[in-house]
Amino acid sequence: MSELVTGEAVALELRPARLPSRALAVLLDLVAAVTVYVVVTIAVVVSTASLDEAAQTALSIATFVLVLVGGPIAVETLSHGRSLGKMACGLRVVRDDGGPIRFRHALVRGLIGVIEILMTFGVVACIASFVSARGRRLGDVFAGTLVVRERIPVARTGFVPPPPPWLAGRFSGLDLSAVPDGLWLAVRQYLTRMQQLDPQVGWSMAERLASDLAERTGAPVPQGVPPAAYLAAVVHERQAREARRAFGSGASSSAGPAAAAAPAVDAAPAAGTASAAGAASDAHGRSPVVPPGAGSQPSAAAVASSSGAVESSGSARPAASHEVPAGERPGTGFVPPA
């Protein structure tokens, strides 16, 4: 990376283009320019066949200067430093402060490029690029410009495996505010690389990370849940919360059974709401207050609402609906070491 400082004292990190990519861009530009020059020369010769030799020579020189010198200057000026070859190679000419070039920059680069590229077959330009720390040729030095790379390859990020289906929504009530960013990063790195680790080493690492995460959240790891599956489920819950915070409550479907039960609770009649309040008071050890005219038995909606209230009250024991026998659980991919 090369650090450029703008006029506002802002440091920019740009990657200068090296000799191979610049040579390929210049070669493409020369092929395009020579093709245009040949076509224009043929057209000029055909149209000026009746003129004398001196006029034809003058037109040939003017054609050479306009096409092979003025053409690249005009293209770089109008495209702000992106010729055909540079666009194909993902390069751009910028000023030393990172800003776009103007006509005077392209003019200096083009005039000196005639000497160091056309007249010396690129030998001077190659030597200057090798000597320069940022790969600049003489035209860049005198014009105060730099050729940088616009398309930088992005490193591939590791794939975080999803949690097992029977753990979906299991940790929706965890308090994740006390988990530091360093622990999240360690958990994510482990999940992306756990297939490359030795089974014993990976299992011990997962246990250590799961214990640290459980200590931060204040809830122990449920029995029968592999530590790697627990880590994946908690990371998935965190990602779902961030998605809901960024894009709204409808952006993530990780709410699970609670979201499915919400319409039934909303559709309950007024009597069912009153019965739900009475059932909730039963859960706290107080006798329910039954309004006049209401039945002695609570409705099904009230029972469902009261059970949901008990599950969301933050009790230490998980809800019975989440307990799935070990023999009926589907394959998770998180297999303990032998």
Side-chain angles (χ1 to χ4, degrees):
M1 290 290 182
S2 176
E3 188 174 274
L4 304 180
V5 181
T6 65
E8 293 79 12
V10 178
L12 302 177
E13 288 188 354
L14 301 176
R15 177 173 294 182
R18 295 304 176 183
L19 182 59
S21 58
R22 294 193 62 176
L24 179 59
V26 170
L27 181 61
L28 295 176
D29 289 336
L30 287 177
V31 170
V34 169
T35 302
V36 175
Y37 174 72
V38 171
V39 174
V40 173
T41 301
I42 293 175
V44 170
V45 169
V46 171
S47 61
T48 61
S50 60
L51 298 178
D52 57 359
E53 184 177 354
Q56 292 180 356
T57 304
L59 288 176
S60 299
I61 296 175
T63 302
F64 175 84
V65 173
L66 290 176
V67 175
L68 296 182
V69 180
I73 295 174
V75 170
E76 284 194 354
T77 303
L78 296 176
S79 63
H80 299 289
R82 297 185 69 190
S83 61
L84 295 178
K86 291 181 177 62
M87 283 191 290
C89 297
L91 308 180
R92 179 189 287 271
V93 183
V94 297
R95 300 196 307 259
D96 280 340
D97 59 355
I101 65 172
R102 301 184 183 276
F103 172 73
R104 60 185 181 88
H105 303 97
L107 179 62
V108 174
R109 294 185 78 255
L111 293 179
I112 299 180
V114 174
I115 300 174
E116 63 175 339
I117 295 178
L118 296 181
M119 294 186 177
T120 62
F121 300 99
V123 175
V124 176
C126 292
I127 295 175
S129 298
F130 273 122
V131 174
S132 175
R134 296 190 289 182
R136 302 202 300 176
R137 61 179 180 89
L138 294 181
D140 295 318
V141 175
F142 285 100
T145 57
L146 176 68
V147 180
V148 298
R149 299 185 60 181
E150 285 189 315
R151 297 195 297 263
I152 300 177
V154 181
R156 296 180 59 186
T157 57
F159 172 72
V160 178
W166 50 274
L167 283 180
R170 179 77 175 271
F171 305 102
S172 58
L174 284 181
D175 183 13
L176 306 179
S177 59
V179 181
D181 294 337
L183 183 56
W184 286 123
L185 180 60
V187 171
R188 182 178 179 84
Q189 289 179 347
Y190 165 76
L191 292 175
T192 55
R193 302 176 182 176
M194 65 179 181
Q195 302 297 337
Q196 306 172 4
L197 301 175
D198 181 77
Q200 295 289 346
V201 176
W203 186 267
S204 61
M205 187 179 298
E207 287 182 339
R208 184 170 66 253
L209 291 175
S211 62
D212 293 344
L213 192 59
E215 181 180 357
R216 297 286 184 173
T217 58
V221 181
Q223 293 184 356
V225 177
Y230 168 77
L231 295 175
V234 175
V235 169
H236 178 74
E237 176 63 28
R238 179 174 183 260
Q239 293 175 349
R241 293 183 185 181
E242 291 180 351
R244 289 195 297 267
R245 188 182 303 112
F247 305 105
S249 59
S252 178
S253 60
S254 61
V265 176
D266 294 338
T273 305
S275 302
S281 62
D282 284 340
H284 291 284
R286 297 187 297 269
S287 58
V289 179
V290 181
S296 59
Q297 297 295 330
S299 61
V303 175
S305 176
S306 63
S307 61
V310 174
E311 290 180 11
S312 60
S313 61
S315 60
R317 294 186 59 187
S321 61
H322 291 298
E323 295 294 337
V324 181
E328 299 180 2
R329 292 175 181 175
T332 64
F334 303 95
V335 182

